[in-house]
Amino acid sequence: MNENRITVGWGIFFVGLYFYRCGMSVLAELVVARLTELGDADQYQRSVFTILELTQVFSVAETFDLGRVYSTSLTESLGAVFNFFFFGNPILIDIGFQTIAFIGIVKFLIAVDGTTRRYLAVLIVTPSFSLWSSIAAKEALIVFFVGVLCAYFIRLYQNRMRFGLLEILCAIGVFTFKVHYVPTLLAIFLFIVVGQRVKQKVALALGGSLFSLVPLYLFKDKIDAMAFNIAPHFLGYGSSREMFWIEQYDVFFKAPYGMFQGFFGPTLEESISGPLQIASFLESAFIVGIMLLVLLRSIHKLPVFSFFVGVSSLGWLLFASYPLGILNAGSAVRYRTGHLMLVFLIFAIIFSRDRYILWRERGGGHDRDVAGVRPATAGT
């Protein structure tokens, strides 16, 4: 099957998806903005052209905040462009940002086969993801970067190695906007590329997963300090929770719960506090439920290599992201927008036996995997 083949039906879906997301831009400005703050959307809608001063660059370099300064400056510059061409209309500016995110989403969906595309399409239209990636915000740009790179990883898993200028720019974009995504992206890339060249794929996946924990130990004090430094940005804001980390190294000891809740968003108790909270809770339950269903249906026949690659990549992504979401349910839902397609990639592609078999056969792999049996075809 040609995974890039788009039928008339899918063409109609993409047109409908675009207008649905434009509708989300309108809804955000006319309704949601009156119920809750839309992050920094107003800042980017009112932006004018600015030049990042070298003195500012050097002043933040020592605090490792350079990425935030650059990403804010770039987003403001893009907002200024849209502000100029759309005469300052906030809805049209939002739609401009939305269009950029839409391109990344389409690239991601086109890269997968029709069957996988169907249930990914259902997840892609979920309200919070559509809302936060359809307004003037960094999330719209991050969704574009991640969508392009996810499409590349899918092609890479099909042993099509082309890495063009667009992928290079998106990799730089992720490094600038969300540097904590980089370990996950590197892990997926290296496991696929190196795995194609070694026979003992299971040993590679297991050894690589264990070795990736070494930096956590070597930089444990710095990671612990970073977690405590993040907290003041959320405490006392809106519906923020109480301080999550109390003792030293709580960022590690409390990580399992933090990684889940930092992705899921509101707790059951928090969900009854208002309509947006209950909607977010139900949406998160739907997303997590679908992904778990997909995993449970395939885990009994999942190759060991795929299991360790998926768990390792997912673990790095959720661990690096959870400090930004565990202290505030709304922030959790907002910030997961940027990495949600990476999570979908892991569950839909990495946790797939058929994908693994096709990847191995196309690359000429001769390792033994599940129960010592080397499947002959993708249909086994």
Side-chain angles (χ1 to χ4, degrees), residues 169-241:
L169 292 176
C170 288
I172 295 173
V174 169
F175 183 83
T176 303
F177 281 71
K178 294 289 182 179
V179 68
H180 57 278
Y181 292 2
V182 172
T184 298
L185 296 174
L186 280 177
I188 295 174
F189 176 80
L190 292 175
F191 277 130
I192 294 176
V193 173
V194 179
Q196 198 62 269
R197 291 163 172 76
V198 301
K199 292 183 178 181
Q200 299 299 328
K201 300 186 188 330
V202 175
L204 170 68
L206 178 58
S209 299
L210 294 176
F211 182 77
S212 70
L213 299 177
V214 174
L216 292 181
Y217 177 77
L218 295 179
F219 298 102
K220 60 182 184 300
D221 292 323
K222 181 174 180 58
I223 295 171
D224 183 66
M226 289 175 64
F228 279 95
N229 289 336
I230 287 173
H233 296 282
F234 296 93
L235 295 177
Y237 174 79
S239 57
S240 294
R241 301 169 179 140

Side-chain angles (χ1 to χ4, degrees), residues 106-258:
V106 171
K107 283 188 170 293
F108 174 51
L109 291 178
I110 287 177
V112 301
D113 63 272
T115 302
T116 305
R117 192 183 301 142
R118 289 187 185 94
Y119 67 81
L120 286 180
V122 174
L123 296 173
I124 287 295
V125 300
T126 47
S128 71
F129 175 81
S130 301
L131 176 73
W132 284 110
S133 61
S134 297
I135 61 174
K138 293 179 182 179
E139 280 72 25
L141 303 183
I142 297 165
V143 165
F144 169 73
F145 299 145
V146 170
V148 170
L149 292 178
C150 283
Y152 167 73
F153 285 139
I154 293 169
R155 295 195 304 272
L156 187 66
Y157 211 30
Q158 299 166 349
N159 296 298
R160 292 184 286 159
M161 307 290 285
R162 183 177 177 276
F163 193 74
L165 178 61
L166 181 60
E167 287 77 16
I168 293 174
L169 292 176
C170 288
I172 295 173
V174 169
F175 183 83
T176 303
F177 281 71
K178 294 289 182 179
V179 68
H180 57 278
Y181 292 2
V182 172
T184 298
L185 296 174
L186 280 177
I188 295 174
F189 176 80
L190 292 175
F191 277 130
I192 294 176
V193 173
V194 179
Q196 198 62 269
R197 291 163 172 76
V198 301
K199 292 183 178 181
Q200 299 299 328
K201 300 186 188 330
V202 175
L204 170 68
L206 178 58
S209 299
L210 294 176
F211 182 77
S212 70
L213 299 177
V214 174
L216 292 181
Y217 177 77
L218 295 179
F219 298 102
K220 60 182 184 300
D221 292 323
K222 181 174 180 58
I223 295 171
D224 183 66
M226 289 175 64
F228 279 95
N229 289 336
I230 287 173
H233 296 282
F234 296 93
L235 295 177
Y237 174 79
S239 57
S240 294
R241 301 169 179 140
E242 295 180 357
M243 183 62 176
F244 187 67
W245 307 286
I246 306 299
E247 304 293 337
Q248 187 179 27
Y249 304 136
D250 271 355
V251 67
F252 301 105
F253 298 139
K254 295 186 176 181
Y257 172 77

Side-chain angles (χ1 to χ4, degrees), residues 35-47:
L35 301 175
T36 185
E37 292 187 18
L38 292 176
D40 302 322
D42 184 69
Q43 171 187 343
Y44 300 129
Q45 290 164 353
R46 299 177 181 274
S47 295

